[in-house]
CSV table of all heavy atoms in Angstrom, one decimal:
chain,number,residue,atom,x,y,z
A,1,GLU,N,56.4,-10.4,-30.9
A,1,GLU,CA,55.9,-10.1,-29.6
A,1,GLU,C,54.7,-9.1,-29.6
A,1,GLU,O,54.6,-8.3,-30.6
A,1,GLU,CB,56.9,-9.5,-28.7
A,1,GLU,CG,58.2,-10.3,-28.6
A,1,GLU,CD,59.4,-9.6,-29.1
A,1,GLU,OE1,59.3,-8.8,-30.0
A,1,GLU,OE2,60.5,-9.9,-28.5
A,2,SER,N,53.9,-9.2,-28.7
A,2,SER,CA,52.7,-8.2,-28.5
A,2,SER,C,52.4,-8.1,-27.1
A,2,SER,O,52.7,-9.0,-26.2
A,2,SER,CB,51.6,-8.6,-29.4
A,2,SER,OG,51.1,-9.9,-28.9
A,3,GLY,N,51.7,-7.0,-26.8
A,3,GLY,CA,51.1,-6.9,-25.4
A,3,GLY,C,51.8,-5.9,-24.5
A,3,GLY,O,51.3,-5.6,-23.4
A,4,GLY,N,52.8,-5.2,-25.0
A,4,GLY,CA,53.5,-4.2,-24.2
A,4,GLY,C,52.7,-3.0,-24.1
A,4,GLY,O,51.7,-2.8,-24.8
A,5,GLY,N,53.1,-2.1,-23.2
A,5,GLY,CA,52.4,-0.8,-23.1
A,5,GLY,C,52.6,-0.1,-21.8
A,5,GLY,O,53.5,-0.4,-21.1
A,6,LEU,N,51.7,0.9,-21.5
A,6,LEU,CA,51.9,1.7,-20.3
A,6,LEU,C,50.9,1.1,-19.3
A,6,LEU,O,49.7,0.9,-19.6
A,6,LEU,CB,51.5,3.1,-20.6
A,6,LEU,CG,51.5,4.0,-19.4
A,6,LEU,CD1,52.8,4.1,-18.7
A,6,LEU,CD2,51.0,5.4,-19.8
A,7,VAL,N,51.3,0.9,-18.1
A,7,VAL,CA,50.5,0.4,-17.0
A,7,VAL,C,50.9,1.0,-15.7
A,7,VAL,O,52.0,1.4,-15.5
A,7,VAL,CB,50.6,-1.2,-16.9
A,7,VAL,CG1,52.0,-1.6,-16.5
A,7,VAL,CG2,49.5,-1.8,-16.0
A,8,GLN,N,49.9,1.2,-14.9
A,8,GLN,CA,50.1,1.8,-13.6
A,8,GLN,C,50.7,0.8,-12.6
A,8,GLN,O,50.5,-0.4,-12.7
A,8,GLN,CB,48.9,2.4,-13.0
A,8,GLN,CG,48.3,3.6,-13.8
A,8,GLN,CD,47.1,4.2,-13.1
A,8,GLN,OE1,46.4,3.6,-12.2
A,8,GLN,NE2,46.8,5.4,-13.4
A,9,PRO,N,51.5,1.3,-11.6
A,9,PRO,CA,52.0,0.4,-10.6
A,9,PRO,C,50.9,-0.4,-9.9
A,9,PRO,O,49.8,0.2,-9.6
A,9,PRO,CB,52.7,1.4,-9.6
A,9,PRO,CG,53.1,2.5,-10.4
A,9,PRO,CD,52.0,2.7,-11.5
A,10,GLY,N,51.1,-1.6,-9.8
A,10,GLY,CA,50.1,-2.5,-9.2
A,10,GLY,C,49.3,-3.2,-10.3
A,10,GLY,O,48.5,-4.1,-9.9
A,11,GLY,N,49.4,-2.8,-11.5
A,11,GLY,CA,48.5,-3.3,-12.6
A,11,GLY,C,49.1,-4.6,-13.1
A,11,GLY,O,50.1,-5.1,-12.7
A,12,SER,N,48.4,-5.0,-14.2
A,12,SER,CA,48.8,-6.3,-14.8
A,12,SER,C,48.9,-6.1,-16.3
A,12,SER,O,48.4,-5.1,-16.9
A,12,SER,CB,47.7,-7.4,-14.6
A,12,SER,OG,47.6,-7.6,-13.2
A,13,LEU,N,49.7,-7.0,-16.9
A,13,LEU,CA,50.0,-7.0,-18.3
A,13,LEU,C,50.2,-8.4,-18.8
A,13,LEU,O,50.8,-9.3,-18.0
A,13,LEU,CB,51.2,-6.1,-18.6
A,13,LEU,CG,51.3,-5.4,-19.9
A,13,LEU,CD1,50.0,-4.4,-20.1
A,13,LEU,CD2,52.6,-4.6,-20.1
A,14,ARG,N,49.8,-8.7,-20.0
A,14,ARG,CA,50.1,-10.0,-20.6
A,14,ARG,C,50.8,-9.9,-21.9
A,14,ARG,O,50.3,-9.2,-22.8
A,14,ARG,CB,48.8,-10.8,-20.8
A,14,ARG,CG,49.0,-12.2,-21.2
A,14,ARG,CD,47.8,-12.9,-21.7
A,14,ARG,NE,47.8,-14.4,-21.7
A,14,ARG,CZ,47.0,-15.1,-22.6
A,14,ARG,NH1,46.3,-14.5,-23.4
A,14,ARG,NH2,47.2,-16.4,-22.6
A,15,LEU,N,52.0,-10.5,-22.0
A,15,LEU,CA,52.8,-10.4,-23.2
A,15,LEU,C,52.6,-11.7,-23.9
A,15,LEU,O,52.5,-12.8,-23.3
A,15,LEU,CB,54.3,-10.2,-22.9
A,15,LEU,CG,54.6,-9.0,-22.1
A,15,LEU,CD1,56.2,-8.9,-21.9
A,15,LEU,CD2,54.2,-7.7,-22.7
A,16,SER,N,52.6,-11.7,-25.3
A,16,SER,CA,52.5,-12.8,-26.1
A,16,SER,C,53.6,-12.9,-27.1
A,16,SER,O,54.1,-11.8,-27.5
A,16,SER,CB,51.2,-12.9,-26.8
A,16,SER,OG,50.1,-12.9,-26.0
A,17,CYS,N,54.1,-14.0,-27.4
A,17,CYS,CA,55.1,-14.1,-28.5
A,17,CYS,C,54.8,-15.4,-29.3
A,17,CYS,O,54.8,-16.5,-28.8
A,17,CYS,CB,56.5,-14.3,-27.8
A,17,CYS,SG,57.8,-14.7,-29.0
A,18,ALA,N,54.6,-15.1,-30.6
A,18,ALA,CA,54.3,-16.2,-31.5
A,18,ALA,C,55.5,-16.6,-32.4
A,18,ALA,O,56.1,-15.6,-33.0
A,18,ALA,CB,53.2,-15.9,-32.5
A,19,ALA,N,55.9,-17.8,-32.4
A,19,ALA,CA,57.1,-18.2,-33.2
A,19,ALA,C,56.6,-18.9,-34.5
A,19,ALA,O,55.6,-19.6,-34.5
A,19,ALA,CB,57.9,-19.2,-32.4
A,20,SER,N,57.3,-18.6,-35.5
A,20,SER,CA,57.0,-19.3,-36.8
A,20,SER,C,58.3,-19.6,-37.6
A,20,SER,O,59.4,-19.2,-37.1
A,20,SER,CB,56.2,-18.3,-37.7
A,20,SER,OG,56.9,-17.1,-38.0
A,21,GLY,N,58.2,-20.5,-38.5
A,21,GLY,CA,59.4,-20.9,-39.2
A,21,GLY,C,59.7,-22.3,-38.9
A,21,GLY,O,58.8,-23.2,-38.7
A,22,THR,N,61.0,-22.7,-38.8
A,22,THR,CA,61.4,-24.0,-38.5
A,22,THR,C,61.4,-24.2,-37.0
A,22,THR,O,62.4,-23.9,-36.4
A,22,THR,CB,62.8,-24.4,-39.1
A,22,THR,OG1,62.7,-24.1,-40.5
A,22,THR,CG2,63.1,-25.8,-39.0
A,23,ILE,N,60.4,-24.8,-36.5
A,23,ILE,CA,60.3,-24.9,-35.0
A,23,ILE,C,60.8,-26.3,-34.7
A,23,ILE,O,60.1,-27.3,-34.8
A,23,ILE,CB,58.9,-24.7,-34.6
A,23,ILE,CG1,58.3,-23.5,-35.1
A,23,ILE,CG2,58.8,-24.8,-33.0
A,23,ILE,CD1,59.0,-22.2,-34.6
A,24,LEU,N,62.0,-26.4,-34.1
A,24,LEU,CA,62.5,-27.6,-33.6
A,24,LEU,C,62.1,-27.9,-32.2
A,24,LEU,O,61.9,-27.0,-31.4
A,24,LEU,CB,64.1,-27.6,-33.8
A,24,LEU,CG,64.7,-27.4,-35.1
A,24,LEU,CD1,66.2,-27.3,-35.0
A,24,LEU,CD2,64.2,-28.4,-36.1
A,25,SER,N,62.0,-29.2,-31.9
A,25,SER,CA,61.7,-29.6,-30.5
A,25,SER,C,62.8,-30.6,-30.0
A,25,SER,O,63.3,-31.4,-30.9
A,25,SER,CB,60.4,-30.2,-30.5
A,25,SER,OG,59.4,-29.2,-30.7
A,26,PRO,N,63.0,-30.7,-28.7
A,26,PRO,CA,62.5,-29.8,-27.7
A,26,PRO,C,63.0,-28.4,-27.8
A,26,PRO,O,64.1,-28.3,-28.4
A,26,PRO,CB,62.9,-30.5,-26.4
A,26,PRO,CG,64.1,-31.2,-26.8
A,26,PRO,CD,64.0,-31.7,-28.2
A,27,ASN,N,62.4,-27.5,-27.2
A,27,ASN,CA,62.9,-26.1,-27.3
A,27,ASN,C,62.5,-25.4,-26.0
A,27,ASN,O,61.7,-25.9,-25.1
A,27,ASN,CB,62.3,-25.4,-28.5
A,27,ASN,CG,60.8,-25.4,-28.5
A,27,ASN,OD1,60.2,-24.8,-27.6
A,27,ASN,ND2,60.2,-25.9,-29.5
A,28,THR,N,63.1,-24.2,-25.8
A,28,THR,CA,62.8,-23.4,-24.6
A,28,THR,C,62.4,-22.1,-25.2
A,28,THR,O,63.0,-21.5,-26.1
A,28,THR,CB,64.1,-23.2,-23.8
A,28,THR,OG1,64.5,-24.5,-23.4
A,28,THR,CG2,63.8,-22.3,-22.6
A,29,MET,N,61.3,-21.6,-24.7
A,29,MET,CA,60.8,-20.2,-25.0
A,29,MET,C,60.8,-19.4,-23.8
A,29,MET,O,60.4,-19.9,-22.7
A,29,MET,CB,59.4,-20.3,-25.6
A,29,MET,CG,59.4,-21.0,-27.0
A,29,MET,SD,57.8,-20.9,-27.8
A,29,MET,CE,57.9,-19.3,-28.5
A,30,GLY,N,61.2,-18.1,-23.9
A,30,GLY,CA,61.2,-17.3,-22.7
A,30,GLY,C,61.2,-15.8,-23.0
A,30,GLY,O,61.1,-15.4,-24.1
């Protein structure tokens, strides 16, 4: 995961999560 941090109320943030390894489909990411 990446993208966390400190933000003021009313602000925005974008989190990212990269998966690696044996990626089976179909799958759910959340």
